[in-house]
Amino acid sequence: MTLPTSLSQQDVDTLDFTAISPQEFALLVRNTPRRALADIAGGPSRGRLLDEVFSRMESRFKPDTAGRLDALVRWRITDPGQPDAVYETVIADGACTLTTGEGTREPRLVLTLATAEFLRLASGNASGVTLFMTRRLKVVGDLGLAAGLTRYFDIPKA
């Protein structure tokens, strides 16, 4: 399979994400202009793309760094013209589990950001602190957990 140099809507529709390593995905995101990522977020494959990235979080989790952490993190992905996409990651007992949709348990942390910014964050192409300081990431709840959240995951490097 030949990888494109950046992402387009057509690529998102046709790529076999299971054949792409996290590092290759990070490179694709890095090479895709922010406007193009936003266009993809407004397209019909937004859900597929988010599902693919979120589904990898469990396998990219680093239990040795989490220790006794017990936290529900709610991710609210918001894009103009699209319904909010909500995912929840529960970190407990040395594991990370993912659910889609908003549960009834009170989250320790709620992170709200656009798909493009989420893709940049999850692929190691953006810093959570920078996104927060530039108001592209809204944080409600445990700011300490938010500041260190990425250390619990093996974030790819492009």
Side-chain angles (χ1 to χ4, degrees):
M1 174 178 90
T2 303
L3 231 66
T5 56
S6 64
L7 287 173
S8 69
Q9 185 64 56
Q10 180 180 0
D11 295 328
V12 174
D13 292 341
T14 60
L15 275 177
D16 175 8
F17 284 99
T18 61
I20 298 173
S21 74
Q23 291 75 18
E24 290 169 324
F25 181 76
L27 186 60
L28 286 172
V29 171
R30 185 180 77 192
N31 291 338
T32 304
R34 185 175 285 141
R35 182 72 217 147
L37 285 175
D39 289 345
I40 292 167
S45 296
R46 172 185 182 241
R48 177 175 181 251
L49 183 57
L50 288 171
D51 287 347
E52 290 288 344
V53 174
F54 273 104
S55 70
R56 291 184 182 202
M57 289 181 91
E58 291 174 340
S59 67
R60 305 297 292 177
F61 180 67
K62 298 188 309 189
D64 52 314
T65 62
R68 297 181 186 200
L69 178 64
D70 183 0
L72 168 65
V73 178
R74 182 171 295 147
W75 302 80
R76 186 173 305 282
I77 311 300
T78 61
D79 293 294
Q82 296 285 337
D84 289 359
V86 178
Y87 296 82
E88 293 184 339
T89 49
V90 175
I91 300 172
D93 301 321
C96 176
T97 56
L98 172 76
T99 58
T100 57
E102 191 167 322
T104 58
R105 183 176 160 198
E106 188 69 24
R108 184 164 161 185
L109 176 64
V110 178
L111 301 170
T112 304
L113 66 169
T115 299
E117 304 310 332
F118 170 72
L119 294 175
R120 293 178 63 241
L121 179 66
S123 65
N125 288 295
S127 155
V129 172
T130 301
L131 292 174
F132 177 75
M133 297 301 285
T134 57
R135 298 183 181 169
R136 292 185 178 124
L137 169 65
K138 292 181 177 68
V139 178
V140 175
D142 187 337
L143 293 178
L145 175 60
L149 189 61
T150 57
R151 78 171 176 246
Y152 301 120
F153 297 90
D154 183 16
I155 306 291
K157 304 289 185 276

